[in-house]
Amino acid sequence: MSDLSELISRLEQADGPSRELDGEIYIACGLAGDQARSWGPFLRRKMPRPEYTASIDAALSLLDRVLPDAQLLIGFRQTAETKPWARVGNWRTPDATGPNVAIALCLAILKALKEQHP
C-alpha cells in the first residue's frame, strides 16, 4: 500500500468516475494480487474491477473488504459548492470530499488505510 499518497492525490483531483482510478484502487488495496503492480497499462485496462468511483455500493463493498470493522460517516458540507464528504474511522481521521459520494468514500477509505500503514 505504498502508492496511497499518489493515489489519494489523483482521486482528490478527479472530477467524476474513472475506470483507471477504479483499477488503481483495486490494486493499491491488494485485491488484485501482488503481480498486478507490475502490469502495464494494457493489462490494467483489461482487469475486471468494481466501479468504486461511480457506485456507492461498490465503494461500501471495498470498505467491508479492507476495513470491515471501521466506523463510517457520510454527509454534505454546507458551503457554496456543497460536496459530499466521508470519514472512515474515529473522529481524528481526516474527512474526505469528492465530486460524488463514491469518490468521497474511496478517499476516506484510502486515507484511513494510509493512517494504519504509514
Side-chain angles (χ1 to χ4, degrees):
M1 294 188 204
S2 59
D3 308 308
L4 289 181
S5 295
E6 180 183 334
L7 182 54
I8 288 168
S9 176
R10 290 178 56 207
L11 265 173
E12 288 174 337
Q13 311 256 329
D15 57 0
S18 165
R19 293 300 286 152
E20 180 183 347
L21 289 173
D22 292 338
E24 297 300 323
I25 292 167
Y26 191 70
I27 291 168
C29 290
L31 302 175
D34 291 334
Q35 81 278 3
R37 292 191 187 280
S38 64
W39 290 352
F42 178 77
L43 286 177
R44 286 181 184 227
R45 280 194 302 273
K46 298 292 183 186
M47 174 182 57
R49 70 256 183 207
E51 296 181 341
Y52 297 125
T53 58
S55 166
I56 296 170
D57 289 337
L60 288 172
S61 73
L62 175 66
L63 176 62
D64 285 341
R65 288 187 77 180
V66 298
L67 296 168
D69 297 325
Q71 178 183 19
L72 169 65
L73 298 169
I74 298 175
F76 291 87
R77 292 198 193 278
Q78 299 302 314
T79 64
E81 58 171 50
T82 300
K83 289 185 173 184
W85 64 268
R87 180 186 309 144
V88 172
N90 61 32
W91 60 271
R92 286 177 274 155
T93 307
D95 291 348
T97 61
N100 64 31
V101 175
I103 291 175
L105 183 52
C106 288
L107 276 165
I109 292 167
L110 294 175
K111 286 181 177 186
L113 282 173
K114 184 177 175 192
E115 281 201 358
Q116 285 186 355
H117 308 282

